[in-house]
Amino acid sequence: MKIFYTLFLLALLSSISHAFVNDFCVANLNGPDGPSGYECKAPNTVTVDDFVFSGFVAGNTSGIFNAAITPAFVSQLPGVNGLGLSVARLDLAKGGFVPLHSHTASSEILIMVKGEITAGFITPAAAYQKTLKPGDIMVFPQGLLHFQVNSGKGKATAYLAFSNPSPGAQLLDLLLFGNNLPSQLIAQTTLLDYAQVKKLKARFGGRG
């Protein structure tokens, strides 16, 4: 038993010391992206530009949701690789919205900057929603379905912070209606009207 504890302690110390070998691990975007992130760039190829993103400006809100997400994830900001964080900018035109979606590997914080956004998330037991104004902050726990809707009279802007350098997103509308699953099956498994499913598939580029 003593040998087991000794080996366990040595393994623990080894993992802790390894975590502090490098001050950072700038992503080598030419390599594979795995569960633990990208491999590190060679230190002699790292520049200050790996830690700077200059495109944090309003995006095009003329799409289907009248919304734009400008990400500063690891793909745009390689310096966040391995740091467990990233950010994005959310711009909503009048009436714009981000439909129900989830981040399976990240929690999210929304920081209101301009306008008015009604945001919320749902659990099997309850729904939590709030109309947010500049200076308000709201957190969305990891994995829970959540949304943002511009409920004001003009444009709305917010900044988003994530607990993952590559948070990803699964949008419920696109999952249901942007695929090639037969419309009849979707109607049967969601209790939606078949004609409505076909209409939504046409809107979101689905087939079947």
Side-chain angles (χ1 to χ4, degrees), residues 18-161:
H18 178 72
F20 292 98
V21 167
N22 298 321
D23 295 315
F24 49 77
C25 176
V26 173
N28 176 11
L29 298 179
N30 294 320
D33 182 15
S36 59
Y38 287 92
E39 296 179 350
C40 306
K41 287 178 63 174
N44 63 340
T45 66
V46 173
T47 72
V48 68
D49 290 333
D50 291 315
F51 303 95
V52 176
F53 177 64
S54 300
F56 218 46
V57 297
N60 183 359
T61 58
S62 63
I64 191 169
F65 302 126
N66 292 326
I69 301 289
T70 304
F73 301 157
V74 66
S75 298
Q76 296 81 27
L77 186 58
V80 301
N81 188 51
L83 299 183
L85 54 85
S86 61
V87 294
R89 172 174 171 151
L90 171 63
D91 289 283
L92 297 173
K94 184 178 179 180
F97 65 99
V98 180
L100 281 169
H101 64 285
S102 65
H103 309 286
T104 56
S106 176
S107 296
E108 176 183 341
I109 291 177
L110 181 150
I111 305 168
M112 279 295 301
V113 175
K114 176 183 177 180
E116 180 181 290
I117 291 177
T118 297
F121 61 90
I122 58 176
T123 73
Y128 304 87
Q129 69 176 61
K130 185 78 173 181
T131 296
L132 308 173
K133 296 184 179 180
D136 291 339
I137 294 175
M138 185 169 185
V139 63
F140 307 96
Q142 178 174 328
L144 295 184
L145 285 169
H146 57 286
F147 64 88
Q148 293 98 14
V149 175
N150 184 347
S151 52
K153 298 181 179 179
K155 296 180 179 179
T157 301
Y159 294 132
L160 311 173

Side-chain angles (χ1 to χ4, degrees), residues 142-188:
Q142 178 174 328
L144 295 184
L145 285 169
H146 57 286
F147 64 88
Q148 293 98 14
V149 175
N150 184 347
S151 52
K153 298 181 179 179
K155 296 180 179 179
T157 301
Y159 294 132
L160 311 173
F162 300 92
S163 60
N164 192 307
S166 185
Q170 295 198 20
L171 273 70
L172 189 59
D173 289 0
L174 293 180
L175 286 173
L176 282 174
F177 309 115
N179 57 63
N180 61 354
L181 192 65
S183 298
Q184 186 61 46
L185 277 177
I186 296 178
Q188 289 177 333

